[in-house]
Amino acid sequence: MSRSLGSLKRLRIPPQLEAFNFSLYHRSTSFFSLLSSLSPFRLLKRLFFKTLRYFPVSFHRMDSSFLFSLSSPSPSFADDVLSSDYSSPSSSPEPLFLVPLRWWTDANAALYGGGGGCGENKGILYNVMSRLSNKELEMDDFLSEVESEIVLDMTRVGDTGTAQGEGVSGSCSGTSDLSLALISEWMFLRAFRWHNDTKDVGAFLAAADIIQDLFSLQIRLSFSCKTDSLIIRINRKVSRQSSFSLASLYPDNELRDFDRACSIFCVDSGMLEIWDFSGQTNQFFMDDRKLLSDFDQPREEMILELQVYGVAEARDNKREKMITDQCKIEAPPISGTMTMNGSMDDELFSRFKQSPPLDGSYSNACALGLTGLYNLGNTCFMNSALQCLVHTRELVDYFLGDFRKDLNFENPLGMNGKLALTFGELLRKLWAPGATPVAPRIFKSVIAGFAPQFGGYSQHDAQEFLAFLLDGLHEDLDRVKHKPYVEVKDVDGHLDEEVADEHWRNHLARNDSIIVDLCQGQYRSTLVCPVCKKLSITFDPFMYLSLPLPSTTMRKMTLTIFSTDGITLPLPVTVAVPRDGTLSDLVEALSVACCLRDDETLLIAEVFDGSVLGYLEEPSGKIDLIRDQAHLVAYRMLKESQRSPLFVFRHLREEKSEFTGYIYCKKFGVPLLSRVSNFSEGSEIRKEFLKLLNPFVMPAEELSNDYDCKGIDTNGDGKIESILDEDADIEPESEIDSCDFQFYLNESCWKEYKIEMNNPRPISVSSGIVNVFVSWPKKMLEVYDTSLMSVLPEVHKSTLFSRKYQESVSLYKCLDAFLKEEPLGPEDMWYCPSCKTHRQASKKLDLWRLPEILVIHLKRFSYNRYFRNKLETFVDFPINDFDLSNYMAHKNIHMSHHYMLYAVSNHQGGMGSGHYTAFIQHGQNRWYEFDDSNVFHISEEQTKTSSAYVLFYRRI
């Protein structure tokens, strides 16, 4: 049974089912009273109501027609309740908190500018009369129970008695120790955080110390038509004759909580005052008066949970004379009630001195927000990004407040408010007093429902997750319910200031949320046509800045230069280029090193295992993507032959398998490249290949004398002469096949792919590249020095004990690199309206409007189709004053351009692995490290590391 009750307690009930619970309770009370004389039903009755206790209840307005007419849930409602994905936080009104009035008004005045009053949250005053009753309930022949009950009679001050129940909202000034405030959960959380921030909290406090002033009371609320007032009942029941306590008809309270309730509500002098700022008691009045007028009977009792915080139990000293021995558990029970507020026995509550008084002051605030998130399996990327967001002060205030009023359920680009609700629920858990590490399972499931790429348990990029989350929160909280159509106007001839403001107004007309208010800025984008110099200026919003990491050091790279002139041998060349440079920087350095002529060009390729892996032809390609272990070759070619097909000669030789004895063709050496314009016959292809091989001919004295094959001879200079004789007649292939090269269009060297020397053969050049496989006979392997083409140096040879230099760059240099003018890539060609064609225009960005929260993404990860890399560059970023005044294209004298760092998302490790953490500034300029569920204090100096990935700045 206990397991079943535990399952019921964990079950989340939607608002409709809560109302159904109340209705069921109201109807069943009379039903069970008819069966109360039958003992078999007594246990069933208690079991039923004990089960109801485990259903969540909240103090909220109920639809009376739903309460009194509900027979069965509608199909759609049943689907919601039974669906497995019903895990979004309920949008029902929030729980109620009872706090000292002075505690609330101090925070309210500071948060809402109330100037000592109640600010924007007006309260309704109730005078409260309290009484304590104690009676014995006969359960059966063997068991009886003593019921202690506090009854509060709440009468509205200045109530006009109208049907609408409009009361008087008075001033909150002149508060006393007997004045309390009834507030909603969001009001409590914001006020609690304000009190916490106003105090210098520098140490972690135990959870018991944090929540010692917070406890809950199970109460029953009803409306009295006789006195036109609200009645609150607080029960405590204990068994007189057995240690086994049966479940009570009404929700009972623990002895300690009931004692504390007595010390709060049972005052000895003066009238207890409760100010309701939640507005829910006023709604209860209105509903019950409407029921009274419509049905001539008020609503029955409502069961709810009330959270009590900060009400000083030091008042026990003032009430000690009000306590009598008759309230003790050992005293004989009495029936009836005793009136407080002036007329009571001085001995009534003496037993409450048994419990030592707690320090009821709310000055012992805790370090709120220092709560970790459990790692659910490679979710450190999510935890790091979330910690940075939930410690953004403006977002904390917003989501601790009444953010539900901005939920947009009609936005087709949004997530039906689920993402914002789940994020707000998670943030409140992390900022709750005495919170322990939270497992964000519901949040992760909601995210995965809308973004499947973040489902499962793979590692992801924290910045990509952050971008999705910010965009999703914006769409869920967009105050624009129906986005208007905005026509793009012609802006030629207008000032940039006018055009920028027009673009910003158009953007805000369709996008208006807390995310836009805080995180979105605007930059100016300028495109210039390289031919007609046509200018195109646009103003676009941004959510974050992705800054490149420029290099301040040089990188040494070794490549091998192969010439196509038929004379020059391969030459290794080592050049120094900027570490963050481009391929054009590498080509420029090589051109100087090899004395490249004006009529020549370089084609760089990566070679591996006798094949070309790829060509590095993109001038803007990043050289930091080139691995140190790569083998690069730069081929010198004539510019005039650029339009001819590129022939790639790949070398094959026969080898015999040691295990099977099978003879196969194996690739070897460096492919030789040349532009061939005439390839109508195989002899022309052979002639071009022999020209490329000429520098590799072995000296004559190193050759053996046994060369009787046609076409191989030496002259007096020791050079092989007939191989390069372009006009020599080619003998029939049957005579020279055994000692001459054979050319194929396929690596398999089958006869159907063979290129005949004197016969024309059609060759497809649609791709611009022709791969020719050359089979080398054994004799030719002795004629040419293939060792010169078989060994290539690596780009950079690292020694075993070499220490890697830690590169450093300032954040300002990163910003300079982001804002500098640069040409667009071939895949991003711009259509010039003047030239009527696509051009590789130059692009320049300028900052125009800055947000309150500036998010900066450091581009440490680089990708292309061949390589991927992570930069470990140390970025020296300012903490206390990030000055962007000199980077603004439009300076607003009314806005500050200085920022202060408050959060950092870090990534340690390499590509495809690693771990994310977060550094957060919290409280009085203290920094903490959030490593999943662990939180540590760190110094400000420790926040600067080479792992910094995403920076969060707040405008000063």
Side-chain angles (χ1 to χ4, degrees):
M1 180 63 193
S2 60
R3 179 174 300 178
S4 301
L5 294 178
S7 301
L8 287 173
K9 189 173 183 180
R10 291 191 299 269
L11 178 64
R12 184 173 188 86
I13 306 300
Q16 299 96 324
L17 194 55
E18 291 184 11
F20 176 71
N21 174 21
F22 291 139
S23 179
L24 186 63
Y25 170 80
H26 298 149
R27 295 183 173 202
S28 61
T29 304
S30 58
F31 170 74
F32 276 106
S33 62
L34 297 176
L35 305 175
S36 59
S37 59
L38 303 177
S39 58
F41 287 95
R42 292 185 180 180
L43 184 58
L44 176 62
K45 170 185 172 183
R46 299 189 178 283
L47 178 62
F48 175 80
F49 285 107
K50 188 69 174 180
T51 302
L52 287 183
R53 291 184 57 204
Y54 286 90
F55 282 85
V57 292
S58 60
F59 192 178
H60 64 280
R61 176 184 179 183
M62 295 187 297
D63 186 350
S64 57
S65 62
F66 179 77
L67 265 177
F68 291 96
S69 63
L70 178 62
S71 58
S72 62
S74 63
S76 60
F77 164 63
D79 293 340
D80 288 340
V81 174
L82 298 177
S83 62
S84 60
D85 61 347
Y86 190 90
S87 56
S88 298
S90 173
S91 58
S92 61
E94 301 167 284
L96 288 178
F97 285 75
L98 188 67
V99 299
L101 180 61
R102 176 61 63 188
W103 183 87
W104 162 246
T105 54
D106 288 346
N108 190 43
L111 292 172
Y112 303 105
C118 297
E120 65 178 20
N121 302 300
K122 300 299 182 181
I124 298 177
L125 176 61
Y126 291 87
N127 282 338
V128 182
M129 293 288 293
S130 60
R131 61 183 184 273
L132 178 69
S133 65
N134 203 23
K135 60 183 178 180
E136 182 175 1
L137 300 178
E138 294 292 341
M139 306 307 298
D140 53 34
D141 295 337
F142 302 100
L143 293 176
S144 63
E145 289 191 353
V146 175
E147 178 186 39
S148 298
E149 182 181 63
I150 301 174
V151 181
L152 305 180
D153 192 331
M154 300 173 57
T155 305
R156 293 180 56 165
V157 175
D159 197 322
T160 61
T162 60
Q164 290 78 15
E166 296 175 356
V168 176
S169 297
S171 172
C172 298
S173 60
T175 61
S176 66
D177 291 338
L178 302 181
S179 299
L180 304 175
L182 199 62
I183 58 178
S184 298
E185 181 188 36
W186 70 267
M187 298 178 181
F188 170 77
L189 292 175
R190 290 209 61 186
F192 193 96
R193 180 172 179 267
W194 178 84
H195 282 285
N196 177 79
D197 291 345
T198 56
K199 297 170 180 62
D200 186 12
V201 181
F204 291 99
L205 300 179
D209 296 331
I210 293 173
I211 61 173
Q212 63 179 351
D213 289 339
L214 180 64
F215 67 98
S216 62
L217 288 175
Q218 304 294 327
I219 67 174
R220 294 141 51 207
L221 179 67
S222 61
F223 176 73
S224 173
C225 56
K226 295 181 179 180
T227 60
D228 197 28
S229 61
L230 291 178
I231 304 298
I232 292 180
R233 301 178 185 274
I234 305 172
N235 281 74
R236 180 190 66 81
K237 292 187 178 181
V238 295
S239 175
R240 290 276 299 170
Q241 301 179 11
S242 173
S243 59
F244 172 73
S245 178
L246 294 176
S248 61
L249 176 63
Y250 300 116
D252 54 1
N253 292 275
E254 297 293 336
L255 174 62
R256 181 180 178 84
D257 293 338
F258 187 80
D259 292 351
R260 299 174 78 175
C262 289
S263 67
I264 293 171
F265 298 114
C266 302
V267 297
D268 57 347
S269 62
M271 183 70 68
L272 182 66
E273 295 180 346
I274 295 181
W275 290 81
D276 176 28
F277 296 94
S278 68
Q280 296 192 44
T281 58
N282 185 49
Q283 189 63 55
F284 192 84
F285 257 111
M286 296 171 62
D287 289 348
D288 269 49
R289 285 179 172 175
K290 187 176 186 302
L291 287 174
L292 190 61
S293 61
D294 294 343
F295 301 99
D296 197 27
Q297 63 177 4
R299 179 170 32 187
E300 297 185 40
E301 288 183 335
M302 179 190 298
I303 304 172
L304 59 102
E305 182 174 314
L306 178 67
Q307 303 292 332
V308 182
Y309 174 76
V311 181
E313 290 187 4
R315 286 199 240 164
D316 289 344
N317 297 328
K318 297 182 180 180
R319 302 186 199 87
E320 186 173 1
K321 295 181 180 180
M322 300 163 45
I323 305 174
T324 66
D325 293 336
Q326 294 168 350
C327 192
K328 292 182 180 179
I329 218 169
E330 297 84 359
I334 59 173
S335 299
T337 62
M338 293 196 176
T339 305
M340 303 297 149
N341 304 100
S343 57
M344 84 291 290
D345 190 352
D346 292 341
E347 302 291 325
L348 187 59
F349 287 106
S350 62
R351 80 167 187 85
F352 292 105
K353 288 297 293 179
Q354 295 176 359
S355 300
L358 297 173
D359 182 7
S361 66
Y362 42 81
S363 60
N364 291 334
C366 63
L368 288 178
L370 296 178
T371 309
L373 289 165
Y374 284 116
N375 193 321
L376 305 179
N378 277 333
T379 58
C380 57
F381 74 95
M382 180 179 72
N383 293 347
S384 175
L386 283 174
Q387 292 291 4
C388 293
L389 281 187
V390 302
H391 287 87
T392 300
R393 185 170 56 208
E394 295 79 2
L395 287 180
V396 174
D397 291 341
Y398 177 80
F399 281 98
L400 290 185
D402 190 15
F403 73 93
R404 289 175 174 84
K405 66 180 184 299
D406 291 336
L407 289 175
N408 190 334
F409 301 102
E410 305 172 13
N411 188 355
L413 302 177
M415 305 174 193
N416 300 322
K418 292 183 179 179
L419 180 60
L421 279 170
T422 313
F423 178 81
E425 189 85 357
L426 179 61
L427 183 144
R428 292 188 176 192
K429 290 180 180 178
L430 294 173
W431 280 89
T436 56
V438 177
R441 292 188 180 89
I442 295 179
F443 179 82
K444 183 179 183 298
S445 66
V446 171
I447 285 285
F450 294 99
Q453 67 269 27
F454 297 116
Y457 299 97
S458 300
Q459 184 64 277
H460 295 281
D461 189 289
Q463 188 271 333
E464 294 178 1
F465 171 79
L466 179 67
F468 171 81
L469 179 56
L470 288 175
D471 186 66
L473 290 176
H474 157 66
E475 298 296 349
D476 270 5
L477 298 170
D478 194 352
R479 305 179 187 102
V480 180
K481 307 304 180 186
H482 303 283
K483 298 181 183 290
Y485 172 75
V486 178
E487 183 179 359
V488 180
K489 300 179 181 179
D490 185 11
V491 296
D492 289 342
H494 291 74
L495 296 176
D496 283 353
E497 289 79 4
E498 298 177 0
V499 178
D501 291 343
E502 178 71 17
H503 278 73
W504 190 248
R505 285 193 298 270
N506 292 341
H507 177 67
L508 295 183
R510 297 172 55 85
N511 303 275
D512 182 18
S513 69
I514 183 64
I515 304 300
V516 174
D517 297 341
L518 295 178
C519 302
Q520 287 198 355
Q522 187 183 36
Y523 59 73
R524 179 179 64 185
S525 176
T526 304
L527 293 174
V528 181
C529 177
V531 178
C532 67
K533 306 303 179 184
K534 167 70 175 178
L535 284 177
S536 174
I537 300 178
T538 58
F539 293 86
D540 302 305
F542 67 85
M543 189 85 75
Y544 50 86
L545 299 179
S546 290
L547 305 187
L549 303 185
S551 177
T552 58
T553 60
M554 305 298 286
R555 179 186 183 187
K556 289 186 177 182
M557 303 182 67
T558 301
L559 294 86
T560 305
I561 306 295
F562 274 69
S563 178
T564 59
D565 60 2
I567 301 174
T568 310
L569 283 169
L571 176 67
V573 175
T574 300
V575 294
V577 292
R579 187 171 293 273
D580 67 332
T582 61
L583 187 61
S584 60
D585 297 325
L586 178 59
V587 171
E588 182 180 354
L590 288 173
S591 302
V592 175
C594 68
C595 300
L596 193 70
R597 300 194 308 267
D598 293 340
D599 62 340
E600 291 181 315
T601 184
L602 290 177
L603 176 61
I604 301 178
E606 182 180 2
V607 175
F608 177 77
D609 192 25
S611 302
V612 176
L613 289 184
Y615 300 97
L616 308 182
E617 300 179 282
E618 176 57 51
S620 60
K622 295 294 185 180
I623 62 174
D624 58 3
L625 296 175
I626 301 176
R627 299 173 295 111
D628 286 344
Q629 297 77 23
H631 301 276
L632 298 185
V633 177
Y635 297 93
R636 296 179 65 159
M637 297 182 179
L638 294 176
K639 291 182 178 178
E640 62 183 18
S641 64
Q642 291 298 301
R643 296 188 177 182
S644 299
L646 179 66
F647 275 68
V648 181
F649 296 97
R650 300 165 66 177
H651 314 290
L652 300 173
R653 65 186 177 195
E654 291 184 352
E655 289 199 4
K656 186 177 182 180
S657 173
E658 297 179 359
F659 301 100
T660 63
Y662 177 76
I663 297 177
Y664 65 96
C665 293
K666 180 180 180 180
K667 292 178 290 185
F668 73 97
V670 177
L672 300 180
L673 275 62
S674 179
R675 300 280 182 182
V676 181
S677 56
N678 183 12
F679 49 88
S680 59
E681 293 185 357
S683 59
E684 297 297 333
I685 298 175
R686 177 179 182 273
K687 186 185 300 183
E688 186 65 31
F689 177 70
L690 293 179
K691 175 185 174 182
L692 297 176
L693 279 183
N694 188 45
F696 300 94
V697 175
M698 295 284 287
E701 58 272 13
E702 297 184 15
L703 293 174
S704 64
N705 295 326
D706 187 17
Y707 289 104
D708 55 359
C709 290
K710 279 281 187 179
I712 301 179
D713 196 5
T714 62
N715 56 21
D717 297 330
K719 297 289 186 180
I720 296 179
E721 66 175 1
S722 62
I723 287 183
L724 294 179
D725 187 359
E726 299 179 2
D727 298 326
D729 293 333
I730 303 300
E731 296 292 337
E733 296 181 13
S734 59
E735 299 182 13
I736 64 172
D737 277 356
S738 60
C739 57
D740 198 5
F741 297 104
Q742 305 298 318
F743 299 88
Y744 301 88
L745 294 177
N746 187 280
E747 186 177 354
S748 63
C749 299
W750 291 346
K751 186 175 181 179
E752 56 266 29
Y753 296 109
K754 186 176 181 180
I755 300 176
E756 305 293 345
M757 290 298 99
N758 295 322
N759 297 330
R761 180 183 179 90
I763 298 177
S764 174
V765 294
S766 58
S767 63
I769 299 177
V770 179
N771 286 291
V772 177
F773 296 87
V774 183
S775 176
W776 284 60
K778 292 182 179 180
K779 292 293 184 181
M780 290 301 178
L781 291 173
E782 298 177 3
V783 173
Y784 296 96
D785 187 2
T786 57
S787 64
L788 297 176
M789 65 174 70
S790 298
V791 180
L792 289 178
E794 295 180 350
V795 169
H796 180 75
K797 187 68 174 179
S798 300
T799 61
L800 182 61
F801 300 102
S802 61
R803 188 175 65 178
K804 215 168 184 179
Y805 174 73
Q806 177 65 62
E807 190 176 359
S808 176
V809 65
S810 72
L811 187 59
Y812 291 105
K813 290 293 184 182
C814 299
L815 193 57
D816 290 333
F818 174 73
L819 298 177
K820 75 176 182 179
E821 183 176 354
E822 59 182 3
L824 296 176
E827 67 279 1
D828 297 322
M829 301 283 278
W830 171 63
Y831 182 81
C832 177
S834 178
C835 299
K836 306 297 182 183
T837 186
H838 287 86
R839 300 292 188 190
Q840 192 171 1
S842 60
K843 183 177 182 179
K844 175 74 168 66
L845 294 178
D846 296 291
L847 299 179
W848 191 268
R849 191 188 311 266
L850 292 177
E852 293 297 315
I853 301 299
L854 179 62
V855 181
I856 295 180
H857 164 227
L858 302 178
K859 298 173 68 174
R860 294 194 176 275
F861 301 102
S862 303
Y863 308 88
N864 69 7
R865 75 168 75 174
Y866 304 112
F867 312 107
R868 59 180 187 172
N869 185 37
K870 181 193 175 184
L871 299 177
E872 298 290 348
T873 305
F874 174 80
V875 179
D876 186 11
F877 48 85
I879 296 178
N880 296 315
D881 187 10
F882 183 32
D883 186 4
L884 295 176
S885 302
N886 296 330
Y887 293 90
M888 297 300 298
H890 172 66
K891 295 185 178 180
N892 188 343
I893 60 175
H894 303 292
M895 300 292 291
S896 169
H897 300 134
H898 295 257
Y899 286 80
M900 177 178 292
L901 184 76
Y902 72 90
V904 183
S905 176
N906 306 292
H907 179 267
Q908 297 98 12
M911 293 291 301
S913 61
H915 182 61
Y916 283 95
T917 61
F919 295 152
I920 307 293
Q921 186 191 54
H922 186 81
Q924 303 295 324
N925 295 325
R926 293 185 178 88
W927 284 89
Y928 296 89
E929 178 182 1
F930 288 75
D931 185 357
D932 289 333
S933 59
N934 301 311
V935 183
F936 311 97
H937 179 267
I938 61 173
S939 64
E940 184 177 286
E941 293 74 18
Q942 292 177 279
T943 59
K944 290 188 177 184
T945 68
S946 59
S947 301
Y949 185 44
V950 184
L951 308 175
F952 292 77
Y953 281 92
R954 177 183 293 108
R955 190 197 301 273
I956 299 177

